């Protein structure tokens, strides 16, 4: 059953559904699609990757009580530590559920840990109902006036195809705001985990694509660069984020002065944007 409210400036569609096996059924659940095209709210959660979901629950409760209506959410990858272990997925689904998420649709990026024990990431593809899950796979969605491109984790080889697609796909979008989310950052804070190919090639693709922001995870820090074009600070350039974590892991933070960080922080229990 669907209920649509149509006005001169906005259209909201509430969808209701149940989940079951033919004999046992859940309560009636709800999600909302559509928003005022002039104002789109979303939140971002970095690497969860923990057996203790206390911090995630605190974040979702805070988001549910802050009085804002969110149109979508992003989780930047490494939601679980090992994709092949059911216990991790069970814990995750118990916190990222319809009640805790208040019906907000979440985009799940595939990080390197989603491929642990599951070389083609078929388990998270099924869990999240993703359109693509292989190394370096990609797709895009639009919410209101925001274009969101997703590039899943790869080692190196498959990224170039994804970057070429990004330029064409983003340029074809008429959305006012354009963002990319992928697990590995172009400007990282973990010197031992830097991906030279992403660093050397993503910024050019991001600029050609006309992106405003790039949201990543992987390094378990919170970091934000100044807007940059060709590696130089430019108020009309792209801003790159590392979106922190909610889990138990942390890495030593190395600040490369050529990365033009506006903010770097790793001293927290959990963080969200």
């Amino acid at each position: 059953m669907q209920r649509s409210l149509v006005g001169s400036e906005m259209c909201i569609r509430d969808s209701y559904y149940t989940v079951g096996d033919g004999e046992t059924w859940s309560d009636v659940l709800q999600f909302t699609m559509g928003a005022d095209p002039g104002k789109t709210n979303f939140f971002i959660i970095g690497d969860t990757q923990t057996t203790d979901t206390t911090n995630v629950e605190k974040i979702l409760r805070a988001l549910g009580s802050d009085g804002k209506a969110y149109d979508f959410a992003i989780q930047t990858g490494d939601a679980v530590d090992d994709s092949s272990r059911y216990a991790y997925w069970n814990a995750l689904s118990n916190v990222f559920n319809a009640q805790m998420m208040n019906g907000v649709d979440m985009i799940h990026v595939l990080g390197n840990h989603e491929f642990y024990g599951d070389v083609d990431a078929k388990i998270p593809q099924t869990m999240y109902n993703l359109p693509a899950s292989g190394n370096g796979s990609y797709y895009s969605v639009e919410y209101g006036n925001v274009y969101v491109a997703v590039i899943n984790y790869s080692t190196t080889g498959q990224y170039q195809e994804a970057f070429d697609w990004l330029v064409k796909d983003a340029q074809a979008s008429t959305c006012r705001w354009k963002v990319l989310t992928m697990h590995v950052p172009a400007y990282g804070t973990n010197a031992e985990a830097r991906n030279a190919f992403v660093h050397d090639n993503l910024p050019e693709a991001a600029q050609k694509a006309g992106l405003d922001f790039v949201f990543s995870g992987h390094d378990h820090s919170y970091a934000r660069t100044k807007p940059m074009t060709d590696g130089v600070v430019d108020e009309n350039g792209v801003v790159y984020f590392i979106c922190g974590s909610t889990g138990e892991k942390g890495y030593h933070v190395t600040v490369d002065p050529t990365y033009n960080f506006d903010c770097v922080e790793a001293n927290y229990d959990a963080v969200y944007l």
Side-chain angles (χ1 to χ4, degrees), residues 186-240:
Y187 297 95
T189 59
N190 182 358
E192 296 182 0
R194 287 179 181 169
N195 187 305
F197 187 88
V198 173
H199 173 72
D200 293 341
N201 294 277
L202 176 61
E204 180 181 2
Q207 291 163 202
K208 290 181 178 178
L211 300 186
D212 298 287
F213 305 104
V214 176
F215 299 109
S216 300
H218 198 49
D219 286 359
H220 294 242
S221 63
Y222 170 76
R224 180 184 70 250
T225 71
K226 296 176 181 178
M228 291 187 291
T229 300
D230 296 330
V232 178
V233 176
D234 169 19
E235 64 179 8
N236 296 313
V238 185
V239 180
Y240 298 82

Short mmCIF file of all heavy atoms in Angstrom, two decimals, residues 186-240:
data_model
loop_
_atom_site.label_atom_id
_atom_site.label_comp_id
_atom_site.label_asym_id
_atom_site.label_seq_id
_atom_site.Cartn_x
_atom_site.Cartn_y
_atom_site.Cartn_z
N ALA A 186 41.19 9.12 -1.45
CA ALA A 186 42.26 9.63 -2.32
C ALA A 186 43.33 10.33 -1.49
O ALA A 186 44.51 10.33 -1.85
CB ALA A 186 41.67 10.59 -3.35
N TYR A 187 42.92 10.93 -0.38
CA TYR A 187 43.85 11.63 0.51
C TYR A 187 43.70 11.02 1.89
O TYR A 187 42.84 11.38 2.67
CB TYR A 187 43.52 13.13 0.53
CG TYR A 187 43.68 13.78 -0.83
CD1 TYR A 187 42.60 13.94 -1.68
CD2 TYR A 187 44.93 14.22 -1.26
CE1 TYR A 187 42.74 14.51 -2.94
CE2 TYR A 187 45.09 14.79 -2.52
CZ TYR A 187 44.00 14.93 -3.35
OH TYR A 187 44.16 15.51 -4.60
N GLY A 188 44.58 10.04 2.17
CA GLY A 188 44.45 9.24 3.38
C GLY A 188 45.30 9.73 4.52
O GLY A 188 46.20 10.57 4.37
N THR A 189 45.00 9.18 5.71
CA THR A 189 45.78 9.49 6.91
C THR A 189 46.54 8.28 7.43
O THR A 189 47.32 8.42 8.36
CB THR A 189 44.85 10.00 8.03
OG1 THR A 189 43.87 9.00 8.34
CG2 THR A 189 44.16 11.29 7.60
N ASN A 190 46.31 7.11 6.86
CA ASN A 190 47.03 5.90 7.24
C ASN A 190 48.09 5.61 6.18
O ASN A 190 47.78 5.11 5.10
CB ASN A 190 46.06 4.72 7.37
CG ASN A 190 46.75 3.44 7.82
OD1 ASN A 190 47.97 3.40 8.00
ND2 ASN A 190 45.97 2.38 8.01
N ALA A 191 49.33 5.95 6.49
CA ALA A 191 50.40 5.85 5.50
C ALA A 191 50.61 4.43 5.01
O ALA A 191 51.03 4.21 3.87
CB ALA A 191 51.70 6.39 6.11
N GLU A 192 50.29 3.43 5.84
CA GLU A 192 50.51 2.04 5.47
C GLU A 192 49.40 1.49 4.57
O GLU A 192 49.54 0.41 4.02
CB GLU A 192 50.64 1.18 6.73
CG GLU A 192 51.85 1.53 7.58
CD GLU A 192 51.97 0.64 8.80
OE1 GLU A 192 51.10 -0.25 8.97
OE2 GLU A 192 52.92 0.83 9.58
N ALA A 193 48.30 2.22 4.45
CA ALA A 193 47.16 1.71 3.68
C ALA A 193 46.83 2.60 2.49
O ALA A 193 45.77 2.45 1.89
CB ALA A 193 45.94 1.59 4.59
N ARG A 194 47.71 3.49 2.13
CA ARG A 194 47.41 4.39 1.02
C ARG A 194 47.39 3.64 -0.31
O ARG A 194 48.21 2.75 -0.56
CB ARG A 194 48.44 5.52 0.96
CG ARG A 194 48.25 6.54 2.08
CD ARG A 194 49.29 7.65 2.05
NE ARG A 194 49.08 8.58 3.15
CZ ARG A 194 49.93 9.52 3.52
NH1 ARG A 194 51.06 9.67 2.85
NH2 ARG A 194 49.67 10.32 4.53
N ASN A 195 46.47 4.03 -1.15
CA ASN A 195 46.34 3.43 -2.47
C ASN A 195 46.83 4.46 -3.49
O ASN A 195 46.14 5.45 -3.77
CB ASN A 195 44.89 3.04 -2.75
CG ASN A 195 44.73 2.27 -4.04
OD1 ASN A 195 45.13 2.74 -5.10
ND2 ASN A 195 44.12 1.09 -3.97
N ALA A 196 48.01 4.24 -4.03
CA ALA A 196 48.63 5.22 -4.93
C ALA A 196 47.79 5.43 -6.18
O ALA A 196 47.72 6.55 -6.70
CB ALA A 196 50.04 4.76 -5.30
N PHE A 197 47.14 4.37 -6.67
CA PHE A 197 46.35 4.52 -7.89
C PHE A 197 45.17 5.45 -7.67
O PHE A 197 44.88 6.32 -8.51
CB PHE A 197 45.86 3.16 -8.37
CG PHE A 197 45.19 3.21 -9.72
CD1 PHE A 197 45.93 3.09 -10.88
CD2 PHE A 197 43.82 3.41 -9.84
CE1 PHE A 197 45.33 3.16 -12.14
CE2 PHE A 197 43.21 3.48 -11.07
CZ PHE A 197 43.97 3.36 -12.23
N VAL A 198 44.48 5.29 -6.55
CA VAL A 198 43.34 6.17 -6.24
C VAL A 198 43.82 7.60 -6.05
O VAL A 198 43.21 8.55 -6.56
CB VAL A 198 42.60 5.66 -4.99
CG1 VAL A 198 41.51 6.65 -4.56
CG2 VAL A 198 41.97 4.29 -5.26
N HIS A 199 44.91 7.76 -5.32
CA HIS A 199 45.45 9.11 -5.10
C HIS A 199 45.84 9.79 -6.41
O HIS A 199 45.58 10.99 -6.59
CB HIS A 199 46.66 9.03 -4.17
CG HIS A 199 47.38 10.34 -4.01
ND1 HIS A 199 46.86 11.39 -3.29
CD2 HIS A 199 48.57 10.76 -4.49
CE1 HIS A 199 47.70 12.42 -3.33
NE2 HIS A 199 48.75 12.06 -4.05
N ASP A 200 46.43 9.04 -7.31
CA ASP A 200 46.95 9.62 -8.55
C ASP A 200 45.86 9.85 -9.59
O ASP A 200 46.03 10.73 -10.46
CB ASP A 200 48.03 8.71 -9.15
CG ASP A 200 49.29 8.65 -8.29
OD1 ASP A 200 49.47 9.55 -7.44
OD2 ASP A 200 50.06 7.69 -8.46
N ASN A 201 44.76 9.10 -9.54
CA ASN A 201 43.81 9.13 -10.64
C ASN A 201 42.40 9.60 -10.28
O ASN A 201 41.71 10.15 -11.15
CB ASN A 201 43.71 7.73 -11.26
CG ASN A 201 45.00 7.30 -11.94
OD1 ASN A 201 45.25 7.67 -13.08
ND2 ASN A 201 45.81 6.53 -11.24
N LEU A 202 41.97 9.41 -9.03
CA LEU A 202 40.61 9.83 -8.69
C LEU A 202 40.40 11.34 -8.77
O LEU A 202 39.37 11.79 -9.30
CB LEU A 202 40.22 9.32 -7.30
CG LEU A 202 38.85 9.81 -6.82
CD1 LEU A 202 37.74 9.35 -7.75
CD2 LEU A 202 38.59 9.37 -5.39
N PRO A 203 41.32 12.18 -8.26
CA PRO A 203 41.05 13.62 -8.29
C PRO A 203 40.76 14.16 -9.69
O PRO A 203 39.85 15.00 -9.85
CB PRO A 203 42.33 14.22 -7.70
CG PRO A 203 42.83 13.17 -6.77
CD PRO A 203 42.54 11.87 -7.47
N GLU A 204 41.48 13.72 -10.69
CA GLU A 204 41.22 14.19 -12.05
C GLU A 204 39.82 13.78 -12.50
O GLU A 204 39.08 14.60 -13.09
CB GLU A 204 42.25 13.63 -13.02
CG GLU A 204 42.04 14.08 -14.46
CD GLU A 204 43.05 13.51 -15.43
OE1 GLU A 204 43.93 12.72 -15.00
OE2 GLU A 204 42.96 13.85 -16.63
N ALA A 205 39.43 12.53 -12.19
CA ALA A 205 38.09 12.07 -12.56
C ALA A 205 37.02 12.84 -11.80
O ALA A 205 35.98 13.20 -12.37
CB ALA A 205 37.97 10.57 -12.29
N ALA A 206 37.27 13.10 -10.52
CA ALA A 206 36.30 13.84 -9.70
C ALA A 206 36.08 15.24 -10.25
O ALA A 206 34.96 15.75 -10.27
CB ALA A 206 36.78 13.90 -8.26
N GLN A 207 37.15 15.88 -10.69
CA GLN A 207 37.04 17.22 -11.26
C GLN A 207 36.27 17.21 -12.57
O GLN A 207 35.39 18.03 -12.80
CB GLN A 207 38.44 17.80 -11.46
CG GLN A 207 39.17 18.12 -10.17
CD GLN A 207 40.66 18.29 -10.33
OE1 GLN A 207 41.42 18.14 -9.39
NE2 GLN A 207 41.12 18.59 -11.54
N LYS A 208 36.61 16.27 -13.45
CA LYS A 208 35.91 16.18 -14.73
C LYS A 208 34.43 15.86 -14.53
O LYS A 208 33.57 16.30 -15.31
CB LYS A 208 36.56 15.11 -15.61
CG LYS A 208 37.93 15.49 -16.14
CD LYS A 208 38.49 14.37 -17.02
CE LYS A 208 39.85 14.74 -17.60
NZ LYS A 208 40.40 13.63 -18.42
N ALA A 209 34.14 15.08 -13.49
CA ALA A 209 32.76 14.69 -13.21
C ALA A 209 31.95 15.84 -12.62
O ALA A 209 30.72 15.77 -12.56
CB ALA A 209 32.74 13.49 -12.26
N GLY A 210 32.63 16.88 -12.17
CA GLY A 210 31.94 18.01 -11.55
C GLY A 210 31.47 17.73 -10.15
O GLY A 210 30.46 18.27 -9.69
N LEU A 211 32.22 16.88 -9.40
CA LEU A 211 31.82 16.52 -8.05
C LEU A 211 32.03 17.69 -7.09
O LEU A 211 32.93 18.51 -7.25
CB LEU A 211 32.60 15.32 -7.56
CG LEU A 211 32.47 14.00 -8.34
CD1 LEU A 211 33.21 12.89 -7.61
CD2 LEU A 211 31.02 13.62 -8.57
N ASP A 212 31.20 17.71 -6.05
CA ASP A 212 31.38 18.66 -4.95
C ASP A 212 32.13 18.02 -3.78
O ASP A 212 32.97 18.66 -3.16
CB ASP A 212 30.01 19.15 -4.46
CG ASP A 212 29.26 19.90 -5.55
OD1 ASP A 212 29.65 21.03 -5.85
OD2 ASP A 212 28.28 19.33 -6.10
N PHE A 213 31.78 16.75 -3.49
CA PHE A 213 32.36 16.06 -2.33
C PHE A 213 32.66 14.61 -2.67
O PHE A 213 31.96 13.99 -3.47
CB PHE A 213 31.39 16.09 -1.14
CG PHE A 213 30.93 17.46 -0.76
CD1 PHE A 213 29.67 17.89 -1.09
CD2 PHE A 213 31.77 18.32 -0.05
CE1 PHE A 213 29.23 19.16 -0.74
CE2 PHE A 213 31.35 19.59 0.30
CZ PHE A 213 30.07 20.01 -0.05
N VAL A 214 33.69 14.07 -2.01
CA VAL A 214 33.99 12.64 -2.05
C VAL A 214 34.03 12.15 -0.61
O VAL A 214 34.79 12.67 0.21
CB VAL A 214 35.33 12.35 -2.74
CG1 VAL A 214 35.65 10.85 -2.68
CG2 VAL A 214 35.30 12.81 -4.20
N PHE A 215 33.20 11.14 -0.28
CA PHE A 215 33.12 10.59 1.07
C PHE A 215 33.72 9.19 1.08
O PHE A 215 33.26 8.31 0.34
CB PHE A 215 31.66 10.53 1.53
CG PHE A 215 30.98 11.88 1.58
CD1 PHE A 215 30.01 12.21 0.66
CD2 PHE A 215 31.32 12.80 2.56
CE1 PHE A 215 29.38 13.44 0.71
CE2 PHE A 215 30.70 14.03 2.62
CZ PHE A 215 29.72 14.37 1.69
N SER A 216 34.71 8.98 1.93
CA SER A 216 35.40 7.68 2.02
C SER A 216 35.49 7.22 3.47
O SER A 216 35.10 7.94 4.40
CB SER A 216 36.81 7.78 1.42
OG SER A 216 36.75 8.15 0.06
N GLY A 217 36.03 6.03 3.65
CA GLY A 217 36.24 5.46 4.98
C GLY A 217 37.66 4.92 5.08
O GLY A 217 38.63 5.60 4.79
N HIS A 218 37.79 3.66 5.53
CA HIS A 218 39.02 2.87 5.47
C HIS A 218 40.06 3.23 6.53
O HIS A 218 40.66 2.34 7.12
CB HIS A 218 39.63 2.98 4.08
CG HIS A 218 40.64 1.92 3.75
ND1 HIS A 218 40.41 0.58 3.94
CD2 HIS A 218 41.90 2.01 3.23
CE1 HIS A 218 41.46 -0.12 3.55
NE2 HIS A 218 42.38 0.73 3.13
N ASP A 219 40.33 4.51 6.75
CA ASP A 219 41.43 4.90 7.64
C ASP A 219 41.00 5.09 9.09
O ASP A 219 41.84 5.37 9.95
CB ASP A 219 42.08 6.19 7.13
CG ASP A 219 42.93 5.95 5.90
OD1 ASP A 219 43.02 4.80 5.45
OD2 ASP A 219 43.51 6.93 5.37
N HIS A 220 39.72 5.00 9.40
CA HIS A 220 39.20 5.08 10.76
C HIS A 220 39.56 6.41 11.44
O HIS A 220 39.68 6.47 12.66
CB HIS A 220 39.67 3.90 11.60
CG HIS A 220 39.13 2.59 11.14
ND1 HIS A 220 38.33 1.79 11.92
CD2 HIS A 220 39.26 1.93 9.95
CE1 HIS A 220 38.00 0.69 11.25
NE2 HIS A 220 38.55 0.76 10.05
N SER A 221 39.72 7.44 10.65
CA SER A 221 39.90 8.79 11.18
C SER A 221 38.81 9.66 10.60
O SER A 221 38.12 9.27 9.66
CB SER A 221 41.27 9.35 10.78
OG SER A 221 41.36 9.47 9.36
N TYR A 222 38.65 10.85 11.19
CA TYR A 222 37.82 11.87 10.54
C TYR A 222 38.77 12.89 9.93
O TYR A 222 39.64 13.42 10.63
CB TYR A 222 36.87 12.57 11.51
CG TYR A 222 36.22 13.77 10.85
CD1 TYR A 222 35.18 13.60 9.94
CD2 TYR A 222 36.70 15.06 11.07
CE1 TYR A 222 34.62 14.67 9.28
CE2 TYR A 222 36.14 16.15 10.42
CZ TYR A 222 35.09 15.95 9.53
OH TYR A 222 34.55 17.02 8.88
N ALA A 223 38.62 13.15 8.66
CA ALA A 223 39.48 14.13 7.99
C ALA A 223 38.69 14.81 6.89
O ALA A 223 37.80 14.22 6.28
CB ALA A 223 40.73 13.46 7.41
N ARG A 224 39.03 16.06 6.67
CA ARG A 224 38.39 16.84 5.61
C ARG A 224 39.43 17.75 4.98
O ARG A 224 40.15 18.47 5.68
CB ARG A 224 37.27 17.70 6.20
CG ARG A 224 36.51 18.55 5.18
CD ARG A 224 35.46 19.44 5.85
NE ARG A 224 36.06 20.51 6.64
CZ ARG A 224 36.04 20.59 7.96
NH1 ARG A 224 35.46 19.62 8.67
NH2 ARG A 224 36.60 21.60 8.60
N THR A 225 39.54 17.69 3.67
CA THR A 225 40.47 18.57 2.98
C THR A 225 39.80 19.91 2.70
O THR A 225 38.57 20.05 2.75
CB THR A 225 40.94 17.99 1.64
OG1 THR A 225 39.85 18.02 0.70
CG2 THR A 225 41.45 16.57 1.80
N LYS A 226 40.59 20.88 2.36
CA LYS A 226 40.06 22.10 1.77
C LYS A 226 39.64 21.77 0.34
O LYS A 226 40.11 20.80 -0.24
CB LYS A 226 41.13 23.19 1.79
CG LYS A 226 41.53 23.59 3.21
CD LYS A 226 42.68 24.60 3.20
CE LYS A 226 43.06 24.95 4.63
NZ LYS A 226 44.21 25.90 4.70
N PRO A 227 38.77 22.57 -0.26
CA PRO A 227 38.41 22.29 -1.66
C PRO A 227 39.64 22.43 -2.55
O PRO A 227 40.43 23.37 -2.40
CB PRO A 227 37.36 23.36 -1.98
CG PRO A 227 37.56 24.42 -0.95
CD PRO A 227 38.07 23.74 0.27
N MET A 228 39.82 21.47 -3.46
CA MET A 228 41.03 21.43 -4.26
C MET A 228 40.74 21.17 -5.73
O MET A 228 39.82 20.44 -6.08
CB MET A 228 41.97 20.33 -3.74
CG MET A 228 42.58 20.61 -2.39
SD MET A 228 43.84 19.37 -1.95
CE MET A 228 42.83 17.91 -1.73
N THR A 229 41.56 21.76 -6.57
CA THR A 229 41.61 21.47 -7.99
C THR A 229 43.06 21.23 -8.36
O THR A 229 43.93 22.06 -8.05
CB THR A 229 41.06 22.64 -8.83
OG1 THR A 229 39.70 22.89 -8.46
CG2 THR A 229 41.12 22.32 -10.31
N ASP A 230 43.36 20.10 -8.97
CA ASP A 230 44.73 19.73 -9.32
C ASP A 230 45.66 19.78 -8.12
O ASP A 230 46.83 20.18 -8.22
CB ASP A 230 45.26 20.64 -10.44
CG ASP A 230 44.49 20.49 -11.73
OD1 ASP A 230 43.97 19.38 -11.98
OD2 ASP A 230 44.39 21.47 -12.49
N GLY A 231 45.13 19.40 -6.96
CA GLY A 231 45.94 19.35 -5.75
C GLY A 231 46.22 20.69 -5.11
O GLY A 231 46.94 20.77 -4.11
N VAL A 232 45.62 21.76 -5.65
CA VAL A 232 45.82 23.11 -5.13
C VAL A 232 44.51 23.62 -4.56
O VAL A 232 43.44 23.39 -5.13
CB VAL A 232 46.32 24.06 -6.25
CG1 VAL A 232 46.48 25.48 -5.73
CG2 VAL A 232 47.64 23.54 -6.82
N VAL A 233 44.59 24.32 -3.43
CA VAL A 233 43.37 24.85 -2.80
C VAL A 233 42.66 25.80 -3.75
O VAL A 233 43.26 26.70 -4.32
CB VAL A 233 43.72 25.57 -1.48
CG1 VAL A 233 42.46 26.20 -0.88
CG2 VAL A 233 44.34 24.59 -0.49
N ASP A 234 41.36 25.52 -3.92
CA ASP A 234 40.54 26.29 -4.86
C ASP A 234 39.11 26.24 -4.35
O ASP A 234 38.54 25.17 -4.19
CB ASP A 234 40.63 25.67 -6.26
CG ASP A 234 39.63 26.24 -7.24
OD1 ASP A 234 39.09 27.33 -6.98
OD2 ASP A 234 39.35 25.56 -8.26
N GLU A 235 38.52 27.40 -4.08
CA GLU A 235 37.18 27.43 -3.48
C GLU A 235 36.13 26.75 -4.35
O GLU A 235 35.07 26.36 -3.86
CB GLU A 235 36.75 28.86 -3.18
CG GLU A 235 36.59 29.73 -4.41
CD GLU A 235 36.13 31.14 -4.07
OE1 GLU A 235 36.10 31.47 -2.87
OE2 GLU A 235 35.81 31.89 -5.00
N ASN A 236 36.40 26.56 -5.60
CA ASN A 236 35.48 25.88 -6.50
C ASN A 236 35.85 24.41 -6.72
O ASN A 236 35.29 23.76 -7.61
CB ASN A 236 35.43 26.59 -7.85
CG ASN A 236 34.88 28.00 -7.73
OD1 ASN A 236 33.86 28.22 -7.11
ND2 ASN A 236 35.58 28.96 -8.32
N GLY A 237 36.80 23.90 -5.92
CA GLY A 237 37.28 22.54 -6.10
C GLY A 237 36.46 21.50 -5.35
O GLY A 237 35.36 21.76 -4.85
N VAL A 238 37.02 20.30 -5.27
CA VAL A 238 36.36 19.15 -4.64
C VAL A 238 36.86 19.02 -3.20
O VAL A 238 38.06 19.16 -2.94
CB VAL A 238 36.68 17.85 -5.41
CG1 VAL A 238 35.90 16.68 -4.82
CG2 VAL A 238 36.36 18.02 -6.89
N VAL A 239 35.96 18.74 -2.27
CA VAL A 239 36.31 18.49 -0.87
C VAL A 239 36.28 16.98 -0.63
O VAL A 239 35.31 16.30 -0.99
CB VAL A 239 35.34 19.19 0.09
CG1 VAL A 239 35.74 18.91 1.55
CG2 VAL A 239 35.32 20.69 -0.16
N TYR A 240 37.33 16.47 0.00
CA TYR A 240 37.47 15.03 0.25
C TYR A 240 37.36 14.75 1.75
O TYR A 240 38.05 15.38 2.56
CB TYR A 240 38.81 14.52 -0.27
CG TYR A 240 38.98 14.69 -1.77
CD1 TYR A 240 39.39 15.91 -2.31
CD2 TYR A 240 38.71 13.63 -2.64
CE1 TYR A 240 39.53 16.07 -3.68
CE2 TYR A 240 38.86 13.79 -4.01
CZ TYR A 240 39.26 15.01 -4.53
OH TYR A 240 39.40 15.17 -5.88
#
